[in-house]
Amino acid sequence: MKEKEKMEDPVKKTSLLITIIRWNLKERKLKLYPNSCCQCCVWWEVVVPYSRRFFFHKLHISITYFFASLGNISESSTLWSNSQLPPPNLNSNGLVLLSSGVMGKQGSHKSLRPEFQGWHSKTLLLQGLKSDSSKCNSCRGLYVGKKHIRAIVVMFGLLGCLFLLDSLIISFFEFSNLQPGTAPNNSSVSQGRDSYIYSKQSPVYMYERLLNMASSALAEKEFKQESSSLWVEPFRQASSWKPCAEKKVQSNPGKPVQNNGYILLSANGGLNQQRVAVCNAVAVASLLNATLVIPEFLYSNVWKDPSQFGDIYQEEYFMNILKDDINIVKELPPQMKSLDVEAIGSQITDADLTKEATPADYIKVVLPLLLRNGVVHFLGYGNRLGFDPLPFDIQRLRCKCNFHALKFVPKIQQLGSILIQRIRKYGAGRSMLDTQLLGKFILNNKYHEDRRGSAKYLALHLRFEIDMVAYSLCEFGGGEEERKELQAYRERHFPLFLERLKKNSTSISPMNLRKLGRCPLTPEEAALVLAGLGFKRETYIYLAGSHIYGGNTRMEPFTSLYPNVITKENLLTDSELAPFRNFSSQLAALDFIACASADVFAMTDSGSQLSSLVSGFRTYFGGDHAPTLRPNKTRLAAILSENNTIRWNRFEVRVKKMILEGQKAGIRSYGRSIYRNPRSPECMCKHQ
């Protein structure tokens, strides 16, 4: 009976090992070296790139567990003879202590992390067979009984088959990705504007030591339960604010009887800049007792999108929601269509109004033209209405426009619903956020409540486009080639900017720019923040934007820690994307939906219009179930500057504190954007 139990135990453990290793093979390609599993750990910092250490960490434990289950491991085992590690300790019950830490040369990029030097990071107890101590003292290797030789042969035969099968599957999918008509999986991160990417260069690392520690930390958390606090607002006050901008207020004077004329708007920029311009124009129309004509969107050589208001937003819905506040028409009356607005002096550009203009500025500059000519035309209109001081009802109307009146057209809502379903792997959600974004295209799913917890995702707006990177004047670890490339881009696209720099006698070095928090966060830095917060390796991350400078070269450090990166290009078919292909604003609307609906939204640049509008939308409709992560770039730069010395647990504490302070659910402060933080009496109602 005992002999039977001894034989069954290794079989069970072998079965477990095969299951674990097969799961490990999902890490894609594995390069094995002709050394023992223990030597792989000894050479951890020498031959194993950090992007594969997560795999080898588990593989080493699995294989060592197998061998310890089959036979006796001697203290003087030859598997440890060529390493710098001390031999494993073996007690009388055959328990083996294994260490995953090794020694290395301090300061070398191949050395072990300093906090692991001189001590063992953790030990693993392995139950082995009881052995005779005298035999252990005399042997010089790993002794395996004859009865286990067959099990070992079968074991390695199965491993060989699994490795071969895995290679064939990987080759098949990589071949499929190269076929015509198939969207490449990484198309969104491998293409940059004007093809300014390192398409064939090695990955760029700025914080390799921290990446190594992050990789080990994620491996240790693999089978631990993730903290639920990551997916909810940390402050209870967030749930006390409720949307109410659409409700009628007794003090609201309503739509004016007198009409002073018509307001035309030609908004520039992308989707989000245009959205802000539309709502500002609605507020100005109310302020001046004017009728608003459905806005037009200017064609931009940057965005190259001919989309107009009706291609993105529902015109009739927009007019109906605001009908009690202002008059809105689709076009000018016939008798005014022939007017040359510029010739009669009614065209107002950004040069005619100061940035963040006040109501007094509009009454002084715009109203006289409106009364004289019956029409004014705002051309461009970028950020030409301040947030304070502004009458209560005008501010409330702004919120009503942004959060209630602007609904995406059905074709955008429908594809957005499909996108969310594929991210979550089931029907789209039914939260208030989803209802506002997707309208009638929310699909019923009776398993929604039961399955929501297993399909959470994080949306990341990673602002690392070539234009933003070049304009920042920062350096990002790419050396001389990077400096030349970015300077060439500036000379081509920002000649006036360079002229101003030459006239300016004082200049700030790239290092000081980073210390001041003026540099865009790299994908590597974004991944370190997520790892420091405690998000697990298997977290699904929706990447918005997609024009990452450096392409895969820059994304490699990110995907090595978080491989489940998805984009709309990954999840939607060519035929589904075809109607949107040449319309960047409509594609941006899909990103807006995916980011606003996410369980967690993370931004890398708080000044971005998309990040501001999405975070405001989540604040307004999300309650306490739509947390937003806003890194403080100045504080993060100070933390990352200690890359060579900081311990991982200290890094985690400081990153969590930084993010927590940015999540405080305070009321909107004077002069701040009401689109970004609608927690104010004009927009939301606070319930005790």
Side-chain angles (χ1 to χ4, degrees), residues 5-252:
E5 289 177 357
K6 288 182 180 180
M7 290 299 293
E8 287 179 350
D9 188 58
V11 172
K12 291 180 181 178
K13 293 174 181 176
T14 303
S15 177
L16 173 63
L17 172 62
I18 293 172
T19 302
I20 293 174
I21 291 180
R22 188 66 194 99
W23 182 81
N24 280 326
L25 291 177
K26 293 180 181 179
E27 302 293 329
R28 292 178 61 84
K29 295 182 180 179
L30 168 69
K31 184 175 181 181
L32 285 178
Y33 295 87
N35 305 288
S36 69
C37 56
C38 298
Q39 286 175 314
C40 284
C41 288
V42 172
W43 291 358
W44 187 266
E45 303 286 340
V46 180
V47 296
V48 183
Y50 83 91
S51 61
R52 296 289 179 259
R53 288 173 191 166
F54 181 85
F55 174 91
F56 279 105
H57 177 80
K58 294 180 293 182
L59 183 62
H60 165 246
I61 293 174
S62 302
I63 295 178
T64 309
Y65 178 81
F66 171 74
F67 280 115
S69 301
L70 291 180
N72 307 322
I73 299 181
S74 168
E75 292 188 44
S76 58
S77 172
T78 54
L79 291 177
W80 302 83
S81 59
N82 295 325
S83 71
Q84 300 176 26
L85 285 174
N89 295 324
L90 187 69
N91 66 10
S92 59
N93 292 323
L95 294 177
V96 182
L97 294 175
L98 290 180
S99 169
S100 59
V102 294
M103 300 293 289
K105 183 180 179 181
Q106 179 67 25
S108 170
H109 72 283
K110 298 179 180 179
S111 66
L112 177 68
R113 299 175 293 276
E115 65 271 22
F116 285 167
Q117 294 187 4
W119 61 287
H120 297 308
S121 61
K122 72 174 188 175
T123 58
L124 178 67
L125 284 177
L126 301 175
Q127 177 64 53
L129 298 176
K130 293 183 179 180
S131 61
D132 188 289
S133 59
S134 62
K135 292 183 179 180
C136 284
N137 293 331
S138 61
C139 66
R140 294 289 298 171
L142 178 66
Y143 172 76
V144 182
K146 292 182 180 180
K147 61 183 178 181
H148 297 312
I149 292 178
R150 181 177 299 176
I152 293 177
V153 172
V154 172
M155 164 66 191
F156 280 100
L158 286 173
L159 281 177
C161 293
L162 291 175
F163 278 113
L164 178 60
L165 179 61
D166 188 70
S167 299
L168 291 174
I169 292 174
I170 291 171
S171 300
F172 172 76
F173 282 111
E174 290 183 344
F175 177 77
S176 299
N177 288 338
L178 297 175
Q179 298 305 305
T182 303
N185 289 340
N186 294 320
S187 61
S188 63
V189 296
S190 62
Q191 299 176 6
R193 295 180 185 176
D194 298 329
S195 299
Y196 279 84
I197 61 173
Y198 295 136
S199 58
K200 295 183 180 180
Q201 297 214 1
S202 300
V204 179
Y205 306 130
M206 297 177 65
Y207 310 99
E208 189 170 3
R209 176 179 175 273
L210 277 175
L211 284 169
N212 291 339
M213 291 192 293
S215 181
S216 297
L218 292 178
E220 292 176 3
K221 294 176 181 178
E222 183 67 20
F223 300 105
K224 295 180 181 179
Q225 186 174 3
E226 188 175 55
S227 172
S228 59
S229 62
L230 291 172
W231 303 92
V232 296
E233 285 279 3
F235 296 99
R236 296 179 60 184
Q237 301 95 310
S239 61
S240 63
W241 289 91
K242 306 295 182 182
C244 62
E246 83 286 5
K247 295 180 180 179
K248 293 183 179 181
V249 181
Q250 292 181 353
S251 60
N252 188 354

Side-chain angles (χ1 to χ4, degrees), residues 516-681:
L516 294 171
R518 298 183 186 178
C519 297
L521 294 191
T522 66
E524 180 182 9
E525 292 168 330
L528 288 172
V529 170
L530 296 180
L533 290 173
F535 286 97
K536 299 184 74 171
R537 178 180 170 84
E538 65 266 21
T539 302
Y540 272 78
I541 299 176
Y542 179 88
L543 186 64
S546 80
H547 293 287
I548 304 300
Y549 170 62
N552 292 335
T553 299
R554 284 288 177 180
M555 285 301 296
E556 168 64 23
F558 188 99
T559 54
S560 67
L561 295 183
Y562 294 99
N564 295 325
V565 176
I566 49 180
T567 66
K568 56 184 177 293
E569 290 83 1
N570 297 144
L571 298 171
L572 300 174
T573 66
D574 285 342
S575 60
E576 290 169 336
L577 283 172
F580 299 80
R581 190 65 74 181
N582 297 320
F583 304 98
S584 61
S585 291
Q586 296 179 42
L587 288 172
L590 297 176
D591 278 339
F592 188 99
I593 290 173
C595 290
S597 294
D599 297 277
V600 174
F601 173 62
M603 64 178 77
T604 59
D605 179 27
S606 58
S608 159
Q609 285 281 21
L610 173 64
S611 295
S612 295
L613 291 175
V614 166
S615 62
F617 210 86
R618 292 168 61 81
T619 296
Y620 190 79
F621 289 113
D624 60 348
H625 292 286
T628 297
L629 311 179
R630 301 180 182 90
N632 183 313
K633 291 193 288 186
T634 304
R635 292 184 60 179
L636 182 60
I639 297 171
L640 293 174
S641 67
E642 301 177 25
N643 170 52
N644 294 325
T645 56
I646 193 170
R647 302 174 80 87
W648 181 252
N649 58 354
R650 181 59 181 162
F651 178 84
E652 288 180 312
V653 169
R654 293 177 65 179
V655 166
K656 289 176 182 177
K657 184 178 179 180
M658 172 191 69
I659 294 297
L660 189 64
E661 291 185 0
Q663 292 179 305
K664 290 181 179 178
I667 192 170
R668 182 184 72 93
S669 57
Y670 185 89
R672 301 303 296 270
S673 170
I674 205 162
Y675 304 126
R676 177 178 177 176
N677 187 3
R679 288 194 187 104
S680 65

Side-chain angles (χ1 to χ4, degrees), residues 23 30 33 86 123 147 256-257 279-281 305 331 339 365 372 374 410 451 453 457 485 487 494 650 684:
W23 182 81
L30 168 69
Y33 295 87
T123 58
K147 61 183 178 181
V257 177
C279 292
N280 287 347
D305 184 358
E331 56 186 14
L339 284 176
V365 176
R372 186 181 69 198
R451 298 184 59 183
Y457 76 97
E485 185 175 33
Q487 181 61 22
F494 309 133
R650 181 59 181 162
M684 303 182 73

